[in-house]
DNA sequence: CCAATACATCGACGCATGTCAATCTCTATG
DNA sequence: CATAGAGATTGACATGCGTCGATGTATTGG
């Protein structure tokens, strides 16, 4: 069972910023799922490392050692980020390359902004 | 043991946006704690309800019934938000009034922004 | 076709976390 | 001082989640 099934986009298209008007239970649930996807130190580092990597993409083998976690654990976190719509996966040959989904993080950020 | 001991400000003063440069393990841990504080449907609704409430403040009694959770659970969530530096608590007489900490959510949002 | 490599999936384990009922603390007010 | 009301704290419980080792699945190279 994954933490976040709904892509970020499904959340960010739905509702006004948190503090503009009271969020309802259903949207709160969806937004919480998206936020949970990045509210983890390993996943924050993965997102950051992918973004900072050459050509803005990285394969699992680039990430496992610097992150200091086992390969299955890294794959697990990457899956959560892909399911949440934050990263995309592109398999080329033996390697799986991960990228940031453009706008995904920004959409999330916009829901938190109060001004 | 609370989820987030470090106020948001301690995080947001420390580091560049996630995707600008690779975040280190210590800052990732701190940022994850702050994000975890709001990555929960009940706490998102609490933040939203406090912001939308009259005079931008609300006491526990205002929040318990509309949220549909028990009073201890609501107090528990509010404590996590206060510990994370997202809400402030002001006890006046018998009542405890909660407010948004100005800029706290925006600081978090800025760390997620990629542009 | 076989071996090696990259990655995903599975199963298990332990800790973290959301929830509530019961209780405690503090304040206001008879 | 006694009582009532608001809210915090405690203890218990079930579930969620991060982690790893073992295993499964493709794909490449010999």
């Amino acid at each position: 069972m994954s933490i976040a099934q709904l892509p970020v986009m499904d959340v960010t298209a739905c509702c006004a910023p948190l503090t503009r008007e009271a969020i309802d239970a259903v949207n709160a649930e969806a937004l919480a799922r998206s936020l949970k996807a990045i509210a983890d130190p390993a996943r924050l580092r993965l997102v950051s490392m992918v973004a900072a990597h050459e050509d803005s993409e990285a394969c699992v083998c680039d990430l496992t050692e610097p992150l200091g976690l086992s390969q299955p654990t890294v794959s697990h976190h990457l899956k959560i980020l892909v399911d949440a719509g934050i990263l995309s996966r592109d398999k080329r040959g033996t390697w799986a390359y991960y990228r940031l989904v453009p706008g995904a993080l920004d959409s999330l950020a916009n829901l938190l902004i109060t001004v």
Side-chain angles (χ1 to χ4, degrees), chain A residues 34-115:
Chain A
S34 293
L35 287 172
K36 271 182 209 286
I38 51 167
D40 176 271
R43 293 196 287 272
L44 286 171
R45 293 183 66 196
L46 283 172
V47 166
S48 191
M49 290 163 64
V50 166
H53 201 264
E54 190 181 355
D55 292 330
S56 299
E57 68 175 8
C59 61
V60 181
C61 55
D62 294 324
L63 305 168
T64 302
E65 191 231 308
L67 193 56
L69 293 174
S70 71
Q71 174 266 315
T73 301
V74 173
S75 280
H76 167 69
H77 285 307
L78 288 170
K79 177 175 170 45
I80 288 174
L81 289 167
V82 170
D83 287 348
I86 293 167
L87 295 185
S88 63
R89 197 183 94 115
D90 176 31
K91 180 148 193 182
R92 298 201 297 273
T94 312
W95 293 272
Y97 293 94
Y98 290 86
R99 289 183 163 278
L100 276 186
V101 170
L105 283 180
D106 302 290
S107 299
L108 266 186
N110 283 333
L111 290 178
L112 298 183
I113 281 194
T114 66
V115 289

